[in-house]
Structure formats: C-alpha cells, structure tokens
Amino acid sequence: MERRGGLSPEQELALLKTRKKVIEAVGNNMDLYGITPSTGHLYGLMFFQNKPMTLDDMRQAMEMSKTSMSTGVRTLVDLKMVNKVWEKGSRKDLYEVEHDWYQTFADFFSIKWRKAAEINLHALRKSRFELLALVEQYPGDEELEQQVQLDLAKIEEAIRYYQWLIRLIETLESQEIFKLVPKDNG
Amino acid sequence: MERRGGLSPEQELALLKTRKKVIEAVGNNMDLYGITPSTGHLYGLMFFQNKPMTLDDMRQAMEMSKTSMSTGVRTLVDLKMVNKVWEKGSRKDLYEVEHDWYQTFADFFSIKWRKAAEINLHALRKSRFELLALVEQYPGDEELEQQVQLDLAKIEEAIRYYQWLIRLIETLESQEIFKLVPKDNG
DNA sequence: TACTTCGTACAGAAATAACTGTACGTACTG
DNA sequence: CAGTACGTACAGTTATTTCTGTACGAAGTA
C-alpha cells in the first residue's frame, strides 16, 4: 500500500474530510469576531496544521493571492488568534494559531469590546456634562429641565452598563472569570 | 421666545447636538453585534425617542426608504434590541428600544454566540466520533493512530472550550452573572 | 363589496468590501 | 556591490451587501 506522509491515501482522505467539516463549522461562525469567511477559513486551516505556516504555504493551500494571505493573517494576528513565531534559519515569517481558545476569547473582548465600551463611555460622560451645563445655562426653566432629565436618565443608565461591561471584561483579562465559571465541568 | 415642543430653538438644537454625538458613538460600535452602520444609527435614533416609533416615523427621521426601515427594525427585533409594542387604536406597528442594556447584552450572547457554540460543538463531537472510528478501522496502525491523536487532542480541547463558553452564556441568561460581577460598583 | 393603509417580498441599482496583480522597500546572499 | 526573496501598499477589478421602488397580500374601513 502506497503511503504518503505515513498514511495511506484512504486514511489521509478520511482525515482531511473530517478536518474540513470542522474547519467549515468554525469558519462559518467567525463572523462573530468580525472576520470575513475566507479569513475564517484560513484560521481553520491553520488550526489543524501541526507546524507553523508561511504565507506561501497558505497561498498554496487556500488557492488565493499572497496579498490576501498577508492581510488575512494580519487580521488574525491583530486579534491574537494567530501568533507570529520565529524559527532560526527561516527568512520567511511563520505563523501558528493560538490554541488556547479561552485566551483567544478573552483577548477578543479585551481588544474589540473594551475599546468600544471606552469610546462610548467617553461620549456618554461628555454628553452628561453638556446636558448639565445646558440646564445651568437656563436656570429655572422647568420645561428644559424636564426634557434634559429624560435624556440624562438614559445616559446615566448607559454609563452604569458600560462600567459593568468593562468590569466583566477585566475578569476575563485577569483570568478571574475561571474562578466564577470554572473551566472544568465540576 | 418662540417655543416648539416646549423648548426654545437654541435649547432644542443643543439637545439634539448632544444626542447626535452619543448616537454616532454607539452606532459606530454596533458592528460588534453584526449590525450595519445604518441599522446602528436607527437604533441610536430610537434610543432617545421617548415614545414608540412607527416605520414611517423612522423613514422620515432617517431619510431612507420604508423598506430599509422594515428590514433594519426586523434585525433589531430579532436581536431583542428593540421590542414591538402595542397601542390600542393604532393600525401601525410600533417599536421601542429595550432600555435594559444588560439584558440586551445577555440576549445577544444567547441568540448569536450560543447558536454558534452549539453548531461548532456538534461538528467537533461528530468529528471526534469519526476519528475514533477511523482508528478502529485500522487496528494496530501506529502511524495512523499518531496522526489522529494530534487532531483528537485539538478537538478535545476545543470541545472543553465550547462547553465552558456555553456555561458562561448560561450565567448571563440566568442573571447569575450579576452575582459574580455585580451591577453596582461595590 | 370596493377602497385604503400597512408591512414586506422581490428584483434591480448603488455602495461597499474583498480580492488580485503590480510595484516597491527592506533585508539577506553571494 | 548586484541579485534575489520576502512582505505589503496601492490601485483596479470582482464580488457581495445594502438600499430603493414596485408590487402584492393582509387587514381594516366605508
């Protein structure tokens, strides 16, 4: 029986077929991370690779341009889903997936959600300040005060929410979340 | 001083200007929820509305087609970010935002992330089953067993991760998360 | 029953995002 | 010092998504 890479063709085929289904399932749901389908597919491909990949490896496996691989892998590196690794003697950049998915999840929130929360929090606080100033500008104007109060109540509540969200993200960043929701199914 | 809706033009302008900045900040970051910018903007608009809106109200305020409002609001309703409300006497459908943002956050994970986690978990378990069957099909083939073992280890770890993720989402769904990460900044 | 009004399905147009090939800067190699 | 290999910026093309106008079914009204 002819063997390639230690496996018979049927065995290799069965392995690849099984991988493919997982790659597709995982890749399809990666839009939650704001990733395009093809970058998701690239990630899935790298997931089963047992050694770091170069851009040319990816290009060949994905049958796409090297430019696309470059931008796709950059997206994944920015999200810390993939790490750039060093191997002596190689001039090419090497990449491999971060296999700690708990960490990947935490990093995603740390990078994307935290940033959004901070931007919104800043806008809300500025808005609160401006509304309070507006009321002070027209002392005794009850109609104004009433209108402003409606907006202020919403803004205050939103501020509380974002503060909570940031605290939640911090429990992810500090690994404290695993004390609250343990990894093992105890 | 001329008054419209109880406020002077300058006051109204100041209020709208302040609102606009919040709407933009919030709307811009809504891509995290997989929502288009214009649907995000629609959400921001509705957020400051003090009464339920009809599709025609939205069309007018957004200066867009009614069809777009219909699809946009449907997206928001599907995500439970906006609720359809009933008002006697009105033939038109009325919508208002869900102001409990903690709930909105929890619903989002319940709807989107949980679904993705379950799909992936299913694919992974099926894959695990197939790989174990493959090994059984070729008893004593150490090379195969070794190769399969590499994939299996990754799959097992991924399964553990998704199980954890689903448990985390369940703490959101059950409000238990607020015991772990309290709303109030104690 | 005929006449409105409402929301949305659907097809085409407009806008946006993804992908490719070329070109170029950087860094090794001989 | 050429000469080569590498990664990516950039502009143009292709593909996808978003948005619009028309059309139509459902439900209310006279």
Side-chain angles (χ1 to χ4, degrees):
Chain A
M1 195 184 282
E2 192 205 355
R3 292 208 159 214
R4 181 175 30 136
L7 297 183
S8 76
E10 308 96 277
Q11 290 173 344
E12 178 132 354
L13 196 71
L15 204 61
L16 290 179
K17 205 174 154 192
T18 299
R19 277 184 183 177
K20 199 180 170 191
K21 273 187 270 179
V22 172
I23 289 173
E24 274 170 17
V26 172
N28 282 338
N29 294 121
M30 292 253 281
D31 61 320
L32 292 176
Y33 288 84
I35 277 174
T36 65
S38 67
T39 302
H41 193 251
L42 173 62
Y43 177 83
L45 177 77
M46 293 177 76
F47 178 70
F48 282 112
Q49 225 62 28
N50 293 314
K51 52 176 82 170
M53 289 186 96
T54 68
L55 290 180
D56 285 303
D57 294 338
M58 298 175 204
R59 187 190 50 67
Q60 198 166 9
M62 296 281 291
E63 296 183 345
M64 287 177 71
S65 72
K66 202 171 173 181
T67 304
S68 292
M69 297 303 95
S70 178
T71 56
V73 93
R74 188 221 294 269
T75 303
L76 294 171
V77 167
D78 287 348
L79 284 175
K80 298 193 182 177
M81 300 178 106
V82 160
N83 299 312
K84 199 170 187 169
V85 294
W86 294 103
E87 220 166 73
K88 62 180 176 183
S90 175
R91 275 221 276 149
K92 302 188 181 188
D93 294 353
L94 292 162
Y95 301 93
E96 68 182 358
V97 304
E98 170 58 66
H99 275 278
D100 184 343
W101 282 9
Y102 304 94
Q103 189 62 46
T104 299
F105 180 79
D107 284 335
F108 174 63
F109 278 86
S110 198
I111 293 165
K112 291 279 194 181
W113 284 73
R114 174 167 228 174
K115 191 181 158 210
E118 281 168 357
I119 287 171
N120 291 350
L121 202 44
H122 182 256
L124 287 162
R125 282 177 171 148
K126 195 170 172 186
S127 165
R128 175 171 61 183
F129 178 82
E130 285 171 7
L131 291 179
L132 292 172
L134 182 62
V135 172
E136 298 220 341
Q137 200 186 330
Y138 299 91
D141 188 331
E142 293 208 4
E143 186 61 44
L144 174 66
E145 204 167 323
Q146 220 167 45
Q147 286 290 319
V148 166
Q149 194 46 51
L150 288 170
D151 280 21
L152 264 182
K154 289 169 188 168
I155 286 167
E156 297 280 5
E157 183 64 16
I159 287 175
R160 275 192 291 276
Y161 161 72
Y162 280 119
Q163 286 172 336
W164 171 81
L165 182 58
I166 288 172
R167 286 203 301 281
L168 177 63
I169 292 168
E170 280 168 354
T171 67
L172 285 168
E173 290 171 344
S174 68
Q175 314 266 328
E176 204 188 333
I177 190 72
F178 301 120
K179 284 187 210 157
L180 310 175
V181 181
K183 286 187 185 181
D184 53 276
N185 203 342
Chain B
M1 196 184 283
E2 191 206 354
R3 293 207 160 213
R4 179 174 31 136
L7 297 184
S8 76
E10 309 97 276
Q11 290 173 344
E12 178 132 354
L13 197 69
L15 203 62
L16 290 179
K17 206 174 152 192
T18 299
R19 277 182 184 179
K20 200 180 170 192
K21 274 187 271 179
V22 172
I23 290 172
E24 274 170 17
V26 172
N28 281 339
N29 295 120
M30 291 252 282
D31 60 321
L32 292 177
Y33 288 83
I35 276 173
T36 65
S38 68
T39 303
H41 194 252
L42 173 63
Y43 177 82
L45 177 78
M46 292 177 76
F47 178 70
F48 282 113
Q49 225 62 29
N50 293 314
K51 54 176 82 170
M53 289 186 95
T54 67
L55 291 178
D56 285 305
D57 294 337
M58 299 174 204
R59 188 191 50 67
Q60 196 166 11
M62 296 280 292
E63 295 183 344
M64 286 176 72
S65 71
K66 200 171 175 181
T67 304
S68 292
M69 298 302 97
S70 179
T71 57
V73 92
R74 188 221 293 268
T75 302
L76 294 170
V77 167
D78 287 348
L79 285 174
K80 297 193 182 177
M81 300 177 107
V82 160
N83 300 312
K84 198 170 188 170
V85 294
W86 295 102
E87 220 166 74
K88 62 180 177 185
S90 174
R91 275 221 276 148
K92 302 188 180 188
D93 293 353
L94 291 162
Y95 301 92
E96 68 183 358
V97 305
E98 170 57 66
H99 275 278
D100 184 343
W101 281 10
Y102 304 94
Q103 189 61 47
T104 298
F105 180 80
D107 284 335
F108 174 64
F109 277 86
S110 199
I111 294 165
K112 290 278 193 181
W113 284 73
R114 172 165 231 177
K115 191 181 160 214
E118 280 167 358
I119 287 170
N120 290 350
L121 201 45
H122 183 258
L124 287 162
R125 282 176 172 149
K126 195 169 171 187
S127 165
R128 174 170 61 182
F129 178 83
E130 286 171 6
L131 291 180
L132 292 173
L134 183 62
V135 172
E136 298 219 343
Q137 201 185 330
Y138 299 91
D141 188 331
E142 292 208 4
E143 185 63 43
L144 174 66
E145 204 168 321
Q146 219 167 45
Q147 286 290 319
V148 167
Q149 194 46 51
L150 287 170
D151 280 21
L152 264 183
K154 289 169 189 167
I155 286 167
E156 296 281 5
E157 182 63 16
I159 287 174
R160 274 193 292 276
Y161 161 73
Y162 280 119
Q163 285 173 336
W164 170 81
L165 182 58
I166 287 173
R167 285 203 303 280
L168 177 63
I169 292 168
E170 280 168 354
T171 66
L172 284 168
E173 290 171 344
S174 67
Q175 314 266 328
E176 204 189 331
I177 191 72
F178 300 120
K179 284 187 209 157
L180 311 175
V181 181
K183 286 187 186 183
D184 52 275
N185 203 343

